[in-house]
Amino acid sequence: PDAKSQGLSRKERRQLKEKAREQARADELEPLRQKLSSDVVDEQLEAARGLRNLLNGSQAPPLDSVIQAGFVSRLVQLSQGDAQRDLQFEALWILTDMTSGTADQTRAVVDAAVVDALKNLLDSPVASAREQAATILANLAGASHELRDLVLNSGAAASIIKLAKDADGVNRLPISVMRTAARCLSCLCQGEPCPFSGDAAKPVFQTLAVFIMSSDDDIIMKACSALACLRYTAADQVTQLLKNGVCERLIDLFSHSVDEVQLSAIRASVKIAVGSRQGLDAIMQYQPVPGLKDMLSSESSMVQKASCSMIANILALGSPCVQDVIDEGCPQLIIDLLHTGDDDVKRAAARVMAVLSSKCSPEQLKLFVGPDTMTPMVAMLETAAFQSLCEVARAALIFIETVLKAGRRLGTEMFEQMLKDADGVRMLESVPEVSNDRDLCARAKALRQIFF
């Protein structure tokens, strides 16, 4: 009798069906497992290709069943044979598929012996084997911090670094191998705690310098991604970046034609600049403001936002580049973004305008603060009603306070009149009515009492 006639519950019937499917998968995999275990190369190759087709031919590949069937150790064993390159290729391809699933599936595939075997392949004379091994190691490192540490402990980072060093000399590697190596090193640099510090960071910086000098966009972005994950609190680390030309290259990339490359270069530059005073000086040494100014005019809202963010960061950190920002015409471009940008860009523009105004002298403020600046900055006070946007409202209040104080020092009521014309007095009064943020409310009340 079938399950329904036996009076089983829906849950029990579903469990029976799943068990039947699992058994069917196991039955399908068993002939492949037997051939893969054979000593006959042709049978091994036939089984490997059949298994790869099974994994690639379905929208929901049976990774769990393949893992449970115990294929991994045999595949790793077959991947070590450079003499049988077709079989090696198939075995590594299957392992790549098996480590491209969920973090739990990837974790089930891996133990230290598997990682050591893959690490050894980074020294293989076969370029495709090196590329596939680096891909699998990158998959592992990107799956979890636990697996990243397992890959690091195997010494894979040193092998990737050696691979890049050799490729930079006489032994040119295919670009696909270099892309994969860059991705692998980038994955190893991610996560907390930062895996590379002190002397251990020096070869990493040298390797990333090789990658970032590439003409390939993908390699450049992976190198920038890795640089954005590292820490730059020690002077010798910054010296290493300068020595290898990394900071200069990052600023050059601000003018790159691809938005994603520009964004990755900005993220890396900001991380270096905020790490220490030496880092900020290293970035400013190569005059980033002209490139940032050009990015303010980008058609990409993400690039506009990133440019605003970096200008705000370098100004907030105390960089003496206020006059450079003004001379390059950045204030007017920021004002334009306050009027024409999307919501995220407008908020980023408001923040940089607040930081810029706080670093300017009253005479400098006169050069760019007018009704077209005051009106959108006052409008940002509407964000006080939303807890998640309080920092935007705070930036608007900082700008208003700075400008009003500058007016008093200049002996003019020009800025106060601009605020009134922008309905700023009413907006200041509304902040305590809509916000629960004590600091915002206190700032708004103080401005109202002092100036109006």
Side-chain angles (χ1 to χ4, degrees):
D2 62 22
K4 189 172 184 180
S5 66
Q6 293 181 24
L8 298 178
S9 68
R10 182 177 298 176
K11 179 179 179 181
E12 289 170 328
R13 293 198 300 271
R14 188 164 57 246
Q15 290 173 339
L16 281 175
K17 288 181 180 179
E18 180 58 33
K19 188 175 293 186
R21 279 195 293 267
E22 289 176 359
Q23 185 59 50
R25 292 193 196 104
D27 292 342
E28 183 181 13
L29 291 171
E30 180 58 23
L32 296 176
R33 190 187 67 78
Q34 291 180 2
K35 287 186 176 181
L36 205 63
S37 301
S38 166
D39 293 331
V40 180
V41 173
D42 288 344
E43 290 187 0
Q44 296 170 352
L45 185 58
E46 179 187 350
R49 285 173 174 165
L51 185 57
R52 175 167 66 84
N53 290 334
L54 180 64
L55 292 175
N56 290 336
S58 171
Q59 291 183 343
L63 288 176
D64 290 330
S65 298
V66 173
I67 293 168
Q68 292 167 9
F71 281 91
V72 174
S73 59
R74 182 57 173 163
L75 289 168
V76 171
Q77 183 182 10
L78 294 174
S79 73
Q80 302 300 296
D82 289 334
Q84 299 295 334
R85 294 190 179 183
D86 288 344
L87 182 58
Q88 181 185 57
F89 177 83
E90 295 292 345
L92 287 170
W93 192 328
I94 296 167
L95 289 170
T96 302
D97 288 339
M98 294 173 74
T99 57
S100 300
T102 66
D104 287 339
Q105 289 169 332
T106 303
R107 195 175 292 110
V109 172
V110 178
D111 58 28
V114 173
V115 174
D116 286 341
L118 292 168
K119 190 267 291 186
N120 292 337
L121 283 174
L122 294 175
D123 296 322
S124 169
V126 183
S128 63
R130 293 196 295 268
E131 179 181 356
Q132 288 176 294
T135 298
I136 298 168
L137 290 170
N139 289 346
L140 300 181
S144 70
H145 291 170
E146 174 191 355
L147 292 180
R148 181 205 70 175
D149 291 343
L150 187 64
V151 175
L152 283 169
N153 292 337
S154 75
S159 296
I160 291 290
I161 289 168
K162 180 178 181 297
L163 191 68
K165 183 178 180 181
D166 292 345
D168 195 42
V170 296
N171 301 317
R172 293 292 177 183
L173 291 176
I175 194 68
S176 60
V177 178
M178 293 299 288
R179 286 173 181 165
T180 306
R183 176 182 171 240
C184 188
L185 188 57
S186 177
C187 289
L188 291 173
C189 289
Q190 294 175 21
E192 294 292 342
C194 182
F196 301 109
S197 59
D199 290 340
K202 291 181 180 179
V204 177
F205 287 141
Q206 292 170 350
T207 305
L208 292 176
V210 172
F211 287 146
I212 205 170
M213 298 302 174
S214 171
S215 60
D216 182 80
D217 292 350
D218 189 62
I219 294 174
I220 293 170
M221 288 188 287
K222 292 297 187 295
C224 288
S225 175
L227 288 166
C229 293
L230 299 176
R231 293 180 179 173
Y232 306 94
T233 54
D236 61 333
Q237 293 175 326
V238 177
T239 300
Q240 190 78 28
L241 294 176
L242 287 169
K243 179 181 177 181
N244 292 318
V246 171
C247 295
E248 183 177 12
R249 174 63 167 161
L250 286 171
I251 303 308
D252 287 343
L253 292 173
F254 286 7
S255 301
H256 200 280
S257 59
V258 177
D259 293 345
E260 289 79 6
V261 175
Q262 290 180 323
L263 288 169
S264 63
I266 285 183
R267 294 186 187 108
S269 299
V270 169
K271 188 64 179 288
I272 294 169
V274 302
S276 65
R277 182 68 203 196
Q278 292 94 336
L280 176 62
D281 291 343
I283 292 297
M284 297 309 301
Q285 179 177 330
Y286 296 101
Q287 301 179 351
V289 175
L292 291 168
K293 176 246 186 180
D294 290 340
M295 283 190 279
L296 290 173
S297 303
S298 170
E299 295 182 0
S300 166
S301 60
M302 292 184 66
V303 173
Q304 293 170 348
K305 181 181 174 182
S307 180
C308 286
S309 178
M310 182 163 181
I311 294 172
N313 273 310
I314 60 178
L315 288 171
L317 289 167
S319 172
C321 65
V322 173
Q323 194 59 50
D324 292 340
V325 171
I326 295 173
D327 291 344
E328 285 291 335
C330 294
Q332 186 55 55
L333 294 173
I334 295 168
I335 293 166
D336 292 342
L337 294 178
L338 284 168
H339 288 275
T340 63
D342 63 28
D343 287 344
D344 285 342
V345 170
K346 286 179 179 178
R347 291 162 190 159
R351 178 172 179 259
V352 69
M353 183 57 71
V355 177
L356 176 60
S357 64
S358 70
K359 301 296 181 180
C360 285
S361 68
E363 290 74 17
Q364 288 173 320
L365 284 173
K366 284 176 61 179
L367 299 174
F368 61 87
V369 175
D372 59 341
T373 315
M374 184 67 75
T375 300
M377 291 300 289
V378 167
M380 288 294 161
L381 292 176
E382 295 176 355
T383 61
F386 305 96
Q387 188 65 35
S388 61
L389 298 176
C390 279
E391 289 306 311
V392 181
R394 203 179 322 278
L397 287 173
I398 290 171
F399 169 80
I400 292 169
E401 179 179 2
T402 300
V403 169
L404 293 179
K405 286 181 177 179
R408 291 284 177 91
R409 291 176 189 154
L410 292 169
T412 176
E413 296 183 356
M414 172 180 62
F415 296 136
E416 293 177 24
Q417 188 59 49
M418 287 182 196
L419 185 73
K420 291 177 182 177
D421 293 342
D423 201 21
V425 177
R426 183 189 65 80
M427 292 294 289
L428 288 172
E429 291 174 345
S430 71
V431 170
E433 297 172 1
V434 300
S435 177
N436 294 322
D437 187 292
R438 293 183 178 180
D439 177 64
L440 282 184
C441 296
R443 281 176 178 268
K445 287 179 181 178
L447 287 174
R448 179 79 175 83
Q449 292 168 356
I450 293 172
F451 293 100
F452 304 101

